[in-house]
Amino acid sequence: MNTTKTTHNRRSFLKTSLLSGGGMMLSVSWLSSLKAADKQQALNLPEQSVMLNGYIQITADNVIKLLCPNPEFGQNVMTSLPMIVAEELDVDWKNVVVEMGPHDNTKLGPQFTGGSNSIRMYWKPLREAGAAARHLLRQAAAQTWNVPVEEVTTKAGVLHHASGKSANYGEMAGKAASLEVPKDLKLKAPKDFTIVRKSKKNVEGQKIITGKPLFGLDYRVDGMLIAMIQHPPAFGMKLKSFDASQTLKMPGIQDVFSLKLYEDGFEQGGFDTRTFNDLLVVVGKTTWEVMNARKKLVAQWEPIGDTRDTMSGRGGKREVVVPGGLESTSTQLEKMQEQAQKPAQQLRKDGDPETAFQNAAQVIERTYNAPFLAHNCMEPMNFFAHVTADKAILAGPLQAPGWIEPTLSKILNLPADKIEIQMTRMGGGFGRRAYGHYLTEAALISKKAKAPVKLIYTREDDMTYGIYRPMYTATYRAALDANKNLIAFHVKGGGIPEHAIHANRFPAGAVENYLAEGWQIPSNITIGAFRAPRSNFNAAAEQSFLDEVAEAMGKDPIAFRLELLKRAKENPVGKNNEYDPDRYAGVLTLVRDKSGWNKPGNEKYNRGVAAYFCHNSYAAHVVDIVTRDGQPYVERVFSAMDCGIVINPDAATNMVQGAVVDGIGNAFYGALTHKNGAAEQSNFHNYRLIRHNEAPKSIDVYFVENDLDPTGLGEPPFPPVFGAVANALYKNKGKRFYNQPFQNEMEKRM
């Protein structure tokens, strides 16, 4: 058993015994420095209004309720986070009730779901919450039975003493609520876990399969109106004028108006964005009526020209110039090719790479390209808002409620405590819902309409509105000496409007002479986080190139990577290497062994491998491609992960499998292009997604077993899929493909 100094004193473990019939509520507050008045208010709030980051509620009749603090968009944190609490509380999982917590920026912090941080961020606080509650219950039993607390044990929600006395938690909850939280908490050793590391079914599974209202699109209140926005037909344009006379004649239409998302000079926060600042809004009674009426709008648009935005957060306050103009993919590619030939920003340099390349017996150089990608969440953007003069109530799917609340407060001129954000389950996120502009739009529309309103994007709105994965390119070079030894490595990457280079990741630290450079071209096409930002391209290009280098050296691709990792461990080059060579090698070794790499019996498969580190975790895949009807298909995949302790194995496996399918689909088919500022793809008829018959028949997932604290899992399995697919496709087609999506390049070259 491990002992930890709790970071939460009695005041930060906010407790209340106001539950009917007696009971206990124990919660962890992120911000223990609340003013006394705020703490008292928290204690006196009714049960359904206590909004804290993770709490345990035990009623007198032994109902144990655990609150999930983080928004849920399919990664199953609503099950996994409460499991952490339940483990240290020592309860029977069958007796646990789980609910999604509401947002409370004051007591909870941002409740951000993103960056593969949910489990990693909450691992210690939720363990402490469970351990503290268990101690208080034991202490209450000890006082009641007049025995030393050390003699009171627990099992599955029941307190025991050697004398034969026992009580369930509910019987002691009322008394426990009045006791002091200990300074030292004893946490379980991993070997003693009975809930963590055991698979548990999704707590919302039944609601999902029976169609219960869980998502933002399900949310409704009496008198609610529907709103839709007509945005400009192209990036780089704004509204000049409009005629809504015919629209207003359509059935069910209440109003048509224009407004600005941000006024001039507005200082944007870390996750604020304004793809289109002028909103042309149609408000009506039903979705169908608003969709049809919007088609009757007559609008004139004009060029915006260069604009200046003031940004704060995520890098400090700065001014950003957004260029005007109507951009096209063909022109963007030409600009990227030109920029790639110019000097770039040096990101890292070890040794003397210039001299090493000059003296090399062989230089391998390859360039890789990838397009904009749309997130395409199953549930398009939507949000409910009811804004009045003195308060605002909002509800919908959002990854970062804490980041958007300050923006709402400024725009609506309301204090934060008058803004209530209710979080619904999200029908996909992947970074897209970290940007809350659609919530702000809904709030402004409700305020203007003086009514409760749900803003809904159609699929076409969603796909053409921006917040894409950027366009990327990268040129890799490797220098070999006369004995085929790798003596220098150089990567120079760029993109619109950012590059993807992570300069301190593998193979940095494993090559004596190393150079990483980056450049970028500004754009008015808005981009944002896309599952494993930057890594999803960096891994694709890097892992493809490493296979080419291994082939030129006459080495097995896995053996070559392991040699480099051995060098990085035993004699590392440079400083600030982000990765752990042992853990990196661990997933490669595991996937090699589990896939039977190079063993007889796999000859019918064209095999590709890739491995990558990001978001504090390690992933490796072996992809097996076969030919069916003349086309390459991924038949099976072997995946190895090192993410520390796995909370819920079934859920973790599902997450890796989802990342694999997502990666295969994007590698083969994903692409969004523009012509004169307008997106050329608007729905799934011309934006290709992977189909059921194209998904692998099997995806076997394996986890490195260790007792390290959990790290990320939502994003790490995704990036190396692209490289593994590229390397297997080379074996299948006998040609290397350097431009995503691979299907488009195959059609051009084959």
Side-chain angles (χ1 to χ4, degrees), residues 390-637:
D390 57 355
K391 67 178 180 179
I393 299 174
L394 301 106
L398 185 67
Q399 287 182 235
W403 286 92
I404 195 63
E405 191 175 69
T407 298
L408 281 175
S409 182
K410 288 190 290 185
I411 286 179
L412 300 177
N413 195 26
L414 285 173
D417 61 1
K418 298 298 182 182
I419 298 173
E420 178 184 341
I421 301 176
Q422 301 172 17
M423 296 177 293
T424 63
R425 189 180 183 91
M426 292 175 265
F430 316 112
R432 175 64 180 88
R433 286 189 160 101
Y435 305 87
H437 61 90
Y438 56 100
L439 181 154
T440 307
E441 292 168 349
L444 289 171
I445 293 168
S446 173
K447 184 177 181 179
K448 176 77 172 179
K450 295 181 171 58
V453 169
K454 183 193 288 185
L455 171 66
I456 296 176
Y457 284 21
T458 63
R459 176 64 61 192
E460 290 79 4
D461 294 334
D462 208 14
M463 198 176 291
T464 61
Y465 206 99
I467 323 296
Y468 306 124
R469 198 284 299 270
M471 285 182 71
Y472 289 127
T473 186
T475 297
Y476 283 78
R477 296 195 302 149
L480 306 183
D481 65 15
N483 295 318
K484 299 290 185 179
N485 296 311
L486 177 63
I487 59 173
F489 193 93
H490 175 210
V491 55
K492 184 179 180 182
I496 297 177
E498 68 174 24
H499 68 74
I501 303 305
H502 290 274
N504 296 320
R505 293 186 184 169
F506 182 76
V511 184
E512 188 68 35
N513 303 291
Y514 175 87
L515 177 63
E517 301 175 288
W519 54 265
Q520 52 200 34
I521 298 173
S523 172
N524 57 38
I525 297 175
T526 46
I527 58 96
F530 187 102
R531 193 174 194 171
R534 298 197 298 153
S535 295
N536 53 56
F537 172 74
N538 196 53
E542 167 203 287
Q543 292 294 306
S544 296
F545 185 66
L546 287 177
D547 256 40
E548 292 213 51
V549 175
E551 185 176 32
M553 297 172 71
K555 294 186 176 183
D556 174 86
I558 293 181
F560 171 55
R561 288 168 171 84
L562 291 175
E563 285 178 15
L564 290 175
L565 289 164
K566 183 179 180 181
R567 165 69 188 278
K569 175 186 177 181
E570 297 177 353
N571 189 21
V573 178
K575 299 179 180 179
N576 303 319
N577 300 326
E578 294 183 14
Y579 59 94
D580 181 328
D582 277 335
R583 296 181 69 188
Y584 209 131
V587 292
L588 272 166
T589 302
L590 182 60
V591 82
R592 179 196 64 192
D593 296 344
K594 294 297 185 181
S595 67
W597 183 260
N598 285 337
K599 287 188 176 180
N602 293 312
E603 293 82 2
K604 69 176 182 178
Y605 299 109
N606 304 123
R607 317 199 84 183
V609 68
Y612 197 68
F613 160 80
C614 73
H615 295 84
N616 306 289
S617 292
Y618 301 79
H621 304 291
V622 168
V623 163
D624 289 345
I625 285 181
V626 297
T627 300
R628 297 200 305 263
D629 301 324
Q631 294 296 318
Y633 289 90
V634 177
E635 182 84 357
R636 62 180 188 174
V637 179

Side-chain angles (χ1 to χ4, degrees), residues 5-16 25-36 38-40 42-43 50-56 106-108 125-126 128-130 132-133 136 179-183 185:
K5 291 284 187 182
T6 176
T7 54
H8 310 284
N9 57 27
R10 176 173 171 79
R11 290 180 296 173
S12 66
F13 275 96
L14 300 178
K15 300 184 296 179
T16 179
M25 182 186 296
L26 173 66
S27 305
V28 180
S29 171
W30 282 110
L31 306 178
S32 58
S33 59
L34 289 175
K35 295 179 180 178
D38 293 332
K39 294 190 178 98
Q40 187 60 42
L43 290 172
V50 178
M51 306 173 199
L52 303 166
N53 90 320
Y55 70 73
I56 303 158
T106 301
K107 303 176 183 68
L108 249 170
L126 293 185
E128 289 182 355
L136 293 173
L179 302 176
E180 291 283 346
V181 175
K183 293 181 180 179
L185 289 173

Side-chain angles (χ1 to χ4, degrees), residues 115-116 531-532 539 611-621 641-643 655 659 711-721:
S116 299
R531 193 174 194 171
Y612 197 68
F613 160 80
C614 73
H615 295 84
N616 306 289
S617 292
Y618 301 79
H621 304 291
M641 295 294 309
D642 183 349
C643 58
M655 196 177 301
T711 50
L713 188 58
E715 287 153 301
F718 183 62
V721 176

Side-chain angles (χ1 to χ4, degrees), residues 293-428:
R294 189 173 60 161
K295 297 175 184 177
K296 299 293 184 179
L297 280 172
V298 178
Q300 289 77 43
W301 313 94
E302 61 182 355
I304 297 176
D306 293 355
T307 59
R308 294 180 181 273
D309 284 342
T310 302
M311 309 293 295
S312 63
R314 295 199 300 164
K317 187 174 179 178
R318 62 203 183 279
E319 189 176 75
V320 177
V321 177
V322 180
L326 304 179
E327 301 179 28
S328 296
T329 298
S330 57
T331 306
Q332 289 170 330
L333 288 170
E334 291 175 2
K335 288 183 177 180
M336 291 170 75
Q337 291 174 355
E338 293 173 3
Q339 189 66 38
Q341 304 306 313
K342 299 177 181 179
Q345 178 187 5
Q346 181 176 298
L347 305 174
R348 173 169 170 161
K349 182 178 179 180
D350 298 326
D352 187 358
E354 293 86 356
T355 301
F357 274 101
Q358 290 174 3
N359 297 333
Q362 180 181 359
V363 174
I364 306 163
E365 180 175 325
R366 303 290 185 267
T367 297
Y368 304 84
N369 299 293
F372 286 111
L373 292 177
H375 290 79
N376 289 321
C377 304
M378 185 61 69
E379 176 193 26
M381 301 303 107
N382 67 91
F383 227 87
F384 167 84
H386 189 190
V387 178
T388 61
D390 57 355
K391 67 178 180 179
I393 299 174
L394 301 106
L398 185 67
Q399 287 182 235
W403 286 92
I404 195 63
E405 191 175 69
T407 298
L408 281 175
S409 182
K410 288 190 290 185
I411 286 179
L412 300 177
N413 195 26
L414 285 173
D417 61 1
K418 298 298 182 182
I419 298 173
E420 178 184 341
I421 301 176
Q422 301 172 17
M423 296 177 293
T424 63
R425 189 180 183 91
M426 292 175 265

Side-chain angles (χ1 to χ4, degrees), residues 369-373 469 663-673 687-688 722 725 729 737-748:
N369 299 293
F372 286 111
L373 292 177
R469 198 284 299 270
I664 294 169
N666 279 291
F668 270 108
Y669 312 114
L672 190 135
T673 58
Y687 188 101
R688 184 78 154 80
F722 293 78
V725 167
L729 193 59
F737 296 91
Y738 301 99
N739 302 293
Q740 296 175 29
F742 299 138
Q743 183 66 37
N744 288 3
E745 190 175 7
M746 281 193 292
E747 291 174 357
K748 293 177 183 177

